[in-house]
Amino acid sequence: GGMIAPASHISPPFPSQKSINLPADGSLYSAMSSVGGHVGSIRRTFGSQKLLKTENIWLLSPQFAGASIIPASEKYKEEIYFFFTEFNKTARVDEEPYRARIGRICTVDEGGIKALLADSWTTFMKARVMCGAGNTQQQYNNMKQAVVLTAQDKRAGVMYGLFSNAWGRTVVCAYSIEDIDRAFSNSKLKGYSSSFSGNRPGMVRKFNNIKNLGVIRYYPEIEDVIRPVGVNPLDLPTDDQITHAVADIVLAVNDEHYTVLYLGTDQGKVLKVLHTIQDVFIISQYSLFHNEGPVLNMAIDSQKGHLYVGTAMEVQRLPLADCRRYGHTCRECILSRDPYCGWDKARRKCIAIPPGYNLRQTSPREIVVKGRNTTVFLPCPVHSFHATYRWEKDNCKMNYPCLFSGDFCVLGPVVNTPLKEGVFRCMATEDGFKVEVVSFRLVNDGRLISASFASTLGLSALLAGVTLWLH
Ligand SMILES: *[C@@H]1O[C@H](CO)[C@@H](O)[C@H](O)[C@H]1NC(C)=O
Ligand SMILES: *[C@@H]1O[C@H](CO)[C@@H](O)[C@H](O)[C@H]1NC(C)=O
């Protein structure tokens, strides 16, 4: 399963100063936003490692929006990303004063040498983050909040940023952690055109030469700009402005991981949103409050399966797996696309998928559909001419007839047959007994799949293949 890096809050030295505190390996990392005369900083504030800070010139009146540990397979490569917005006080009226940023440090950093960066990070780098319509001027530069979903031990995952523009309009952009990692590892440094002496600056190492430290001190920004996956902000069909966001990774019945975003709005609503590579889909929308104040805070309790939602006046709790709202038919349950829920055939109910529970009868064979227009035919071998053969999709009672039969009951693309993705089972009924003959899971190209079962096949290859492994 996924995890959300903890971001607990302790009291900052100034009451109005927004701070983010992240404990990691017995150390505490703190990001203090700029307020009044205080410039703002990223520090290691507690722990057995050397206590380090950012140089003042590295951050321009930062307001922090989030922080997350980015795990790595080797511990010494572990990093922390800090998300913030910089504000240029001296920007002209016709200039955008805000810039969204990702800053990163390595947790093994022990600072520089006596002459340079003695008490400062030697691995700090920052990058510009864009969120807006492609390369147009229509950009959202003020990052209000950032949440990260990563695997436990890998530098992979997704970052969601909540942004606003000068008119207070809000959008959500999604970023790939791999993209960000690649930019920090490979990009040129802004304003620095000479070659590096030896290793690249900003990388983890035991001894730093003074030239490298000088480069880090004066050129902390990388040239590459971080752009969202899918280029544009998520297409959310709502007129409300988003005030808070949390995210969860869900392992669904079909064994795939899905990202669910919970977005609180200025009208006191919560949108439950499914985000996949292909699309953004609003699973459900809640109006939880008596007074329509903005949602100010949300928290997920994964253990108990609850979402807490707070406004200035009230706090409400709702189940993450709210499956009863999807009616009493398999069709409604599946069409909800809620990955927390599945159809229980025996009880004929839309139920929350219990951890480790397996709703599947057998493991379906995986078929990767390349491109959106590929025509897929699924073969089911006919063993008995006394039985009736039918196809079912996603455990639904809805049946699909054989397209043509003979030695095979073939399911193909006909009207009302959604042969795009999902689990398809061929069922044979004889003397009142119903058995599953074969099942396939169609996966769209680009999805994560278990490589061992993956196959990309046309009709003839598929029929040939199926005869090979079924007889
Ligand atoms: C802030 O804006 C002014 C006016 O455009 C510019 O001269 C200055 O370089 C900017 N500061 C930074 C740190 O980008
Ligand atoms: C996919 O099919 C549609 C409609 O049949 C067609 O307009 C489109 O050009 C096709 N796309 C590709 C990539 O073949």
Side-chain angles (χ1 to χ4, degrees):
M3 62 156 202
I4 299 176
S8 57
H9 293 260
I10 59 162
S11 303
F14 302 90
S16 62
Q17 187 175 23
K18 201 177 161 203
S19 77
I20 285 167
N21 292 285
L22 194 65
D25 284 341
S27 291
L28 185 67
Y29 297 85
S30 305
M32 305 281 184
S33 296
S34 164
V35 64
H38 196 279
V39 289
S41 61
I42 296 169
R43 292 166 183 268
R44 185 150 57 212
T45 46
F46 179 84
S48 54
Q49 287 172 276
K50 190 162 183 184
L51 303 185
L52 299 175
K53 59 175 181 53
T54 39
E55 295 280 296
N56 285 347
I57 60 155
W58 291 347
L59 303 171
L60 195 65
S61 305
Q63 294 296 316
F64 285 92
S68 179
I69 296 168
I70 307 299
S73 47
E74 292 134 302
K75 189 79 190 159
Y76 77 97
K77 286 185 179 163
E78 186 181 82
E79 296 173 352
I80 300 179
Y81 287 177
F82 293 90
F83 306 96
F84 54 100
T85 301
E86 290 188 316
F87 179 70
N88 185 349
K89 289 192 194 90
T90 56
R92 295 192 313 265
V93 269
D94 60 328
E95 278 178 335
E96 170 60 58
Y98 293 105
R99 286 205 166 176
R101 300 284 191 187
I102 300 176
R104 78 105 226 238
I105 52 117
C106 302
T107 55
V108 295
D109 199 334
E110 288 289 344
I113 56 178
K114 206 167 176 188
L116 201 55
L117 301 178
D119 300 311
S120 297
W121 305 106
T122 65
T123 56
F124 178 81
M125 282 188 175
K126 68 176 182 182
R128 174 109 193 247
V129 186
M130 302 299 278
C131 173
N135 279 328
T136 66
Q137 290 295 309
Q138 228 186 330
Q139 295 296 321
Y140 294 77
N141 289 308
N142 195 346
M143 191 179 351
K144 317 284 278 184
Q145 207 204 333
V147 287
V148 172
L149 295 170
T150 59
Q152 294 283 1
D153 56 351
K154 272 193 309 200
R155 198 166 298 182
V158 59
M159 187 275 271
Y160 292 97
L162 169 61
F163 293 80
S164 71
N165 66 7
W167 294 273
R169 259 199 65 77
T170 53
V171 288
V172 175
C173 277
Y175 303 86
S176 142
I177 297 294
E178 288 100 321
D179 285 355
I180 300 168
D181 183 44
R182 206 173 303 124
F184 278 128
S185 307
N186 301 323
S187 170
K188 283 188 184 154
L189 304 180
K190 202 170 174 179
Y192 185 81
S193 48
S194 318
S195 60
F196 305 132
S197 58
N199 288 315
R200 183 184 162 79
M203 290 294 149
V204 181
R205 77 179 58 83
K206 195 115 187 90
F207 300 103
N208 263 308
N209 64 41
I210 191 144
K211 182 149 187 285
N212 251 337
L213 291 177
V215 176
I216 292 159
R217 170 70 174 69
Y218 293 101
Y219 305 96
E221 186 177 349
I222 64 167
E223 211 169 82
D224 285 9
V225 167
I226 311 296
R227 294 186 192 278
V229 291
V231 186
N232 293 318
L234 304 192
D235 185 15
L236 298 168
T238 176
D239 292 330
D240 289 10
Q241 301 310 318
I242 294 149
T243 49
H244 202 85
V246 288
D248 195 16
I249 295 180
V250 189
L251 181 62
V253 192
N254 64 359
D255 240 1
E256 282 183 46
H257 284 93
Y258 291 90
T259 303
V260 175
L261 285 169
Y262 296 91
L263 305 174
T265 79
D266 59 345
Q267 304 295 312
K269 289 183 202 134
V270 174
L271 310 178
K272 185 178 189 180
V273 177
L274 178 70
H275 180 225
T276 69
I277 286 172
Q278 280 113 24
D279 68 347
V280 174
F281 179 80
I282 297 200
I283 301 169
S284 46
Q285 180 174 313
Y286 295 86
S287 294
L288 298 166
F289 299 103
H290 301 110
N291 308 300
E292 284 190 353
V295 170
L296 298 180
N297 222 329
M298 285 193 287
I300 290 177
D301 180 350
S302 302
Q303 298 263 302
K304 299 240 164 64
H306 289 140
L307 174 73
Y308 291 88
V309 187
T311 64
M313 309 287 283
E314 298 168 69
V315 177
Q316 290 279 358
R317 189 181 81 181
L318 62 98
L320 299 174
D322 197 7
C323 305
R324 276 179 308 184
R325 48 189 290 124
Y326 306 127
H328 304 288
T329 68
C330 179
R331 194 179 148 75
E332 287 172 296
C333 183
I334 302 298
L335 284 181
S336 77
R337 293 184 66 189
D338 191 324
Y340 294 97
C341 304
W343 183 251
D344 186 329
K345 260 182 157 171
R347 289 193 280 162
R348 315 200 65 197
K349 269 168 79 176
C350 194
I351 60 158
I353 302 157
Y357 187 73
N358 197 347
L359 289 172
R360 298 175 311 181
Q361 288 83 2
T362 59
S363 289
R365 294 261 153 176
E366 249 165 4
I367 305 289
V368 182
V369 185
K370 286 245 180 217
R372 290 186 183 267
N373 277 6
T374 310
T375 309
V376 179
F377 294 93
L378 300 178
C380 174
V382 170
H383 298 304
S384 164
F385 289 97
H386 304 291
T388 40
Y389 288 79
R390 286 276 182 278
W391 286 87
E392 293 178 1
K393 179 171 189 280
D394 294 335
N395 278 348
C396 273
K397 290 270 178 285
M398 198 150 166
N399 287 330
Y400 301 103
C402 309
L403 191 63
F404 44 84
S405 43
D407 287 347
F408 289 94
C409 162
V410 174
L411 180 66
V414 288
V415 181
N416 289 330
T417 307
L419 254 178
K420 276 170 79 178
E421 60 185 319
V423 174
F424 295 84
R425 297 175 194 287
C426 175
M427 311 299 291
T429 312
E430 189 169 357
D431 297 333
F433 281 104
K434 191 159 133 179
V435 291
E436 181 186 303
V437 184
V438 65
S439 62
F440 296 97
R441 183 189 322 156
L442 292 194
V443 188
N444 261 298
D445 195 15
R447 271 280 174 70
L448 288 173
I449 49 148
S450 58
S452 57
F453 279 122
S455 40
T456 310
L457 302 164
L459 172 60
S460 56
L462 198 55
L463 288 174
V466 95
T467 42
L468 272 179
W469 52 257
L470 281 175
H471 292 287

